[in-house]
Amino acid sequence: MNDIYRVACAAGFSGDRTDVARPLVDELLRCGGPACLIFESLAERTLALAQLERHQNPDLGYEPLLLEMLEPILVDCIKGGIPIVGNFGAANPEGAARFIAKLAQEKGLQNIKIAIVKGDDVSAPNFRSQLESFLSPSDRESLTQSALVSANVYLGGQEIAQALNAGAQVVVTGRVADPALTVGPLMAHFKKEWSDWNFLGAATIAGHLLECGAQITGGYFADPGVKDVPNLAQVGFPIVEFNAQGKICITKPSNTGGLVNRMTVTEQLLYEIHDPAQYLTPDVVADISRVELHDAGGNRVELTGVIGHQKPDTLKANICIDGGWLSEAEISYAGFHAYERAQLAAQIIRERLSDLVLRIDYIGSSSIFSSDAGEGPQFKSSIGFEDIRLRISTANQDKHQAMRVCREVTALYTCGPAGGGGVRTSLKPRLTTLVCLIPRDLIQTSYEFFDTKELV
């Protein structure tokens, strides 16, 4: 592949490993040529939690592991000409930019150019009535009856590309579509038109392959004896090699664990795609129905045949509202008749809290496949000796009502069946997510550079 641009992904979610960027940057520097490092650390739940954190402290609300993610590689990326793009701004991109600028100063990097993508937050009071108009009747009623926590649209890669072309060394975003983190750098480098749908389609799929980090290099793929993956403890994160014709090659750093082959790429390619012929993103509608994969060996898989169609007229928005409180409580039963004792404990709680809607799980017997009522397959050892963890939870707008689950399960220490122990309780705010489509012409997007004078 000639005229290659490399994009390496150093995070697949918030809380991912923070030591994986080092091998990626070393590989990019070894290979030479134009390249970019991206961090994809923002899920729907992550952003909502970040909004809650910012409500409590306006200085926070960005990726909490930002220091651990960037400190090991920031100097080498800036000096090596490798821009960093990340949605680690979450609910507070300005706060993240300020943090990065301070870190850069501490590392002796003066006047680093940090761009902030703006426009995804649509929670302003003057926009609320329009939000309501785009929701279904039931969701509209939920919004009118609850406190709005956050509202964000999924932006594309255009502002990222503009910022990079303007000289940005770090680009901080909030809510953008995951592939946009890759689309922006590729569009900035190859200078393609934003109506080149086939190129945009290929760039989007390249980003889609990268967005979950080690999921494509064997992490989420591994199944011992069926799909074996070598040295998974040191799994390498993915790199895309991309050329001007939209040809994609997925690989990973040399001397790292994991695996890149036709199967790992196929699994990630199909991940979260409902219609392979119409993968809707803010930048393009991508069609992978005629994609061809070629295993080139040596942890390299080539992908061609992506088709792109005109981008949608709307942008997806996630709206998070106050969902009241979620309480959880667990207690363990072990030994003979453990499952029967756990069932009796659950029946006691049902009777004591008959006015609440409860979720009951028998962890170790039936939890993953059970219903909310705790009915499902039960697996018992051949001698009847078991270790069962009973979990009971409820969601309620009233904090006091939700707390009753914690108190009642705790009381099982002496008021319940024999041998209960290891009680754990949790009470936390709950969020409810509503989804709608917003006409893109109502969304004003831009980017701006962080003013380092603010640090003085």
Side-chain angles (χ1 to χ4, degrees):
M1 292 174 66
N2 297 321
D3 190 22
I4 291 174
Y5 188 89
R6 292 181 175 85
V7 183
C9 179
F13 63 98
S14 179
D16 209 343
R17 290 179 182 167
T18 57
D19 60 348
V20 299
R22 183 73 264 168
L24 290 172
V25 173
D26 289 344
E27 185 78 0
L28 296 180
L29 292 172
R30 184 187 67 81
C31 292
C36 178
L37 180 69
I38 68 170
F39 290 85
E40 199 293 282
S41 59
L42 192 62
E44 291 75 14
R45 175 177 174 272
T46 317
L47 179 54
L49 293 174
Q51 294 284 10
L52 285 176
E53 184 179 45
R54 190 178 187 184
H55 288 180
Q56 296 172 355
N57 185 339
D59 293 331
L60 300 179
Y62 53 85
E63 168 57 51
L65 293 176
L66 195 53
L67 175 65
E68 291 87 343
M69 293 161 66
L70 294 187
E71 186 176 34
I73 49 85
L74 182 61
V75 172
D76 285 343
C77 283
I78 298 303
K79 292 185 176 180
I82 300 172
I84 299 170
V85 179
N87 54 17
F88 36 53
N92 190 1
E94 292 83 0
R98 183 177 297 103
F99 180 90
I100 296 169
K102 288 181 179 178
L103 177 61
Q105 280 193 352
E106 293 171 2
K107 295 291 183 179
L109 299 171
Q110 301 300 323
N111 301 318
I112 182 174
K113 298 190 72 174
I114 304 171
I116 304 166
V117 173
K118 305 174 76 68
D120 66 296
D121 191 335
V122 291
S123 60
N126 61 355
F127 200 76
R128 179 157 180 160
S129 61
Q130 294 193 72
L131 280 179
E132 293 177 2
S133 69
F134 302 128
L135 292 168
S136 67
S138 60
D139 284 351
R140 189 179 308 131
E141 182 178 359
S142 297
L143 177 58
T144 57
Q145 294 178 353
S146 302
L148 177 66
V149 175
S150 65
N152 298 81
V153 294
Y154 288 75
L155 302 183
Q158 194 157 3
E159 288 69 36
I160 297 173
Q162 291 171 351
L164 291 171
N165 282 331
Q169 296 165 294
V170 179
V171 181
V172 181
T173 81
R175 179 73 278 171
V176 296
D178 297 346
L181 299 172
T182 300
V183 171
L186 292 177
M187 292 295 286
H189 176 74
F190 289 106
K191 305 295 191 296
K192 297 287 186 175
E193 296 293 329
W194 287 90
S195 57
D196 189 337
W197 305 121
N198 286 341
F199 185 89
L200 280 165
T204 292
I205 294 306
H208 172 67
L209 293 173
L210 287 175
E211 69 188 47
C212 294
Q215 196 161 291
I216 196 173
T217 55
Y220 202 67
F221 171 85
D223 187 355
V226 180
K227 298 182 295 183
D228 290 313
V229 178
N231 192 16
L232 201 51
Q234 304 299 327
V235 62
F237 273 50
I239 299 172
V240 154
E241 299 176 352
F242 200 92
N243 70 6
Q245 289 70 49
K247 184 177 181 180
I248 302 166
C249 180
I250 287 280
T251 185
K252 67 180 185 67
S254 53
N255 300 317
T256 62
L259 177 70
V260 177
N261 63 21
R262 199 170 186 275
M263 291 190 295
T264 69
V265 174
T266 299
E267 286 195 9
Q268 177 60 29
L269 180 64
L270 298 177
Y271 171 73
E272 285 187 342
I273 291 186
H274 296 135
D275 184 348
Q278 296 186 79
Y279 178 42
L280 303 177
T281 76
D283 293 312
V284 68
V285 177
D287 179 353
I288 62 168
S289 61
R290 283 167 276 188
V291 157
E292 294 184 4
L293 296 175
H294 170 65
D295 195 331
N299 290 304
R300 298 175 63 84
V301 173
E302 297 174 350
L303 184 151
T304 57
V306 180
I307 298 171
H309 304 288
Q310 185 169 339
K311 63 188 178 185
D313 294 328
T314 55
L315 296 173
K316 178 184 175 182
N318 278 348
I319 302 167
C320 287
I321 60 175
D322 179 8
W325 296 86
L326 174 67
S327 65
E328 301 174 90
E330 297 178 2
I331 186 170
S332 289
Y333 296 91
F336 293 105
H337 308 296
Y339 181 55
E340 287 76 10
R341 283 180 280 133
Q343 284 183 307
L344 176 57
Q347 182 58 37
I348 292 169
I349 301 300
R350 282 194 185 99
E351 294 181 18
R352 297 279 299 176
L353 303 177
S354 60
D355 57 325
L356 297 181
V357 177
L358 302 175
R359 161 90 192 199
I360 298 173
D361 294 305
Y362 301 99
I363 300 171
S365 176
S366 74
S367 54
I368 298 298
F369 299 107
S370 74
S371 68
D372 282 357
E375 298 170 355
Q378 289 85 42
F379 305 101
K380 297 186 68 171
S381 65
S382 58
I383 61 172
F385 189 94
E386 298 176 286
D387 185 344
I388 303 296
R389 184 79 170 164
L390 173 65
R391 174 186 178 271
I392 299 180
S393 63
T394 192
N396 200 289
Q397 288 295 128
D398 188 318
K399 183 178 181 179
H400 175 76
Q401 292 297 319
M403 188 65 185
R404 290 167 61 199
V405 165
C406 300
R407 287 198 289 265
E408 287 293 341
V409 171
T410 300
L412 291 174
Y413 268 131
T414 56
C415 297
V423 170
R424 180 196 68 86
T425 66
S426 170
L427 180 69
K428 62 185 71 173
R430 181 173 178 265
L431 298 172
T432 298
T433 300
L434 313 176
V435 177
C436 67
L437 299 175
I438 297 177
R440 66 168 64 236
D441 57 9
L442 296 180
I443 307 302
Q444 302 299 314
T445 59
S446 63
Y447 75 91
E448 64 181 35
F449 282 100
F450 179 78
D451 188 354
T452 54
K453 294 178 182 178
E454 294 184 25
L455 300 180
V456 180

